[in-house]
Each structure stands twice: as C-alpha cells, then as structure tokens.
Amino acid sequence: MSDAFYDSMAATAAKLITKFGAVGTLTRTTGGSVNPVTGAIIAGTTVTYSPNTIVQKYSDDIVNGTRILSSDRLIILDNTIEPLMTDVITIRGENWTVISIAESRPAGIPLVYFVQARR
C-alpha cells in the first residue's frame, strides 16, 4: 500500500479521536535526574503537548490484578506526539502514569498510540 493510503488512515483516526474523545495534556520532563529512592524527577525541563485522546476501561476478562488492574485505562492517542514511558497524561483533571505503550504503525507511518495508564 502507498504512504498516501496510510496518511489517509492516520487522518481518519485523528478525526474520529477528535470527534469522540477529549483533548489531553501529555507532560514530558527531560534533562533532569531521578532520585533512586523516591523516583522523583529533579531539575528537568518540562514540555507539554495536547494530543486528542479516548479513554476506555479494560474489559473484565483481561484484567488479571497484576499486569492489568481494574483501575487501569486504555488511552488511545492520535499521532501528533509519540508518548514515552516517562510521560504523564492528564485528561479531565486526572493524571495518569504510563505503564505500557503499543502503536499502530503500518509501513512506518504512525496511526495511533495505545497507552496502558494507571492513576
């Protein structure tokens, strides 16, 4: 398939996420150090991004209490920014920590990102 096809798919995905989701804030701190005891990031530069997001609850049959908790959520992000494990995602005033990231990237073109997130 051509790049134009996947670009069109990415645009369609972004349009649907915008229509049915909410704008989130992805906060990224870089250039700092990490306190090994508390895990706090110290003296870094903070940048924020505003991707469109959809938040979904995981179905009960995949919640196992260890890898996926009942309070975890699947956050689907548009392709405007690639999330990192160290990012914090804020949606409707709730802060979410990134647990895992998966992506849909056919032919190297990012369509959407799937983030397992935990409060």
Side-chain angles (χ1 to χ4, degrees), residues 62-110:
I62 65 170
V63 173
N64 62 14
T66 54
R67 209 167 155 244
I68 299 177
L69 305 179
S70 61
S71 59
D72 288 357
R73 296 295 181 261
L74 174 64
I75 300 176
I76 304 169
L77 287 87
D78 65 17
N79 66 349
T80 56
I81 183 71
E82 184 173 356
L84 301 176
M85 292 296 295
T86 55
D87 292 342
V88 174
I89 301 172
T90 305
I91 302 170
R92 294 187 179 112
E94 295 182 320
N95 290 336
W96 298 90
T97 302
V98 175
I99 302 301
S100 68
I101 302 168
E103 62 187 356
S104 178
R105 188 185 287 261
I109 298 171

Side-chain angles (χ1 to χ4, degrees), residues 13-99:
K15 192 182 309 180
L16 290 169
I17 293 170
T18 300
K19 181 175 181 176
F20 296 108
V23 175
T25 302
L26 190 143
T27 304
R28 181 173 295 166
T29 302
T30 59
S33 60
V34 177
N35 181 322
V37 175
T38 64
I41 299 174
I42 303 167
T45 302
T46 301
V47 179
T48 60
Y49 303 94
S50 299
N52 289 303
T53 63
I54 291 179
V55 180
Q56 294 183 335
K57 183 179 178 186
Y58 282 99
S59 64
D60 291 337
D61 60 329
I62 65 170
V63 173
N64 62 14
T66 54
R67 209 167 155 244
I68 299 177
L69 305 179
S70 61
S71 59
D72 288 357
R73 296 295 181 261
L74 174 64
I75 300 176
I76 304 169
L77 287 87
D78 65 17
N79 66 349
T80 56
I81 183 71
E82 184 173 356
L84 301 176
M85 292 296 295
T86 55
D87 292 342
V88 174
I89 301 172
T90 305
I91 302 170
R92 294 187 179 112
E94 295 182 320
N95 290 336
W96 298 90
T97 302
V98 175
I99 302 301

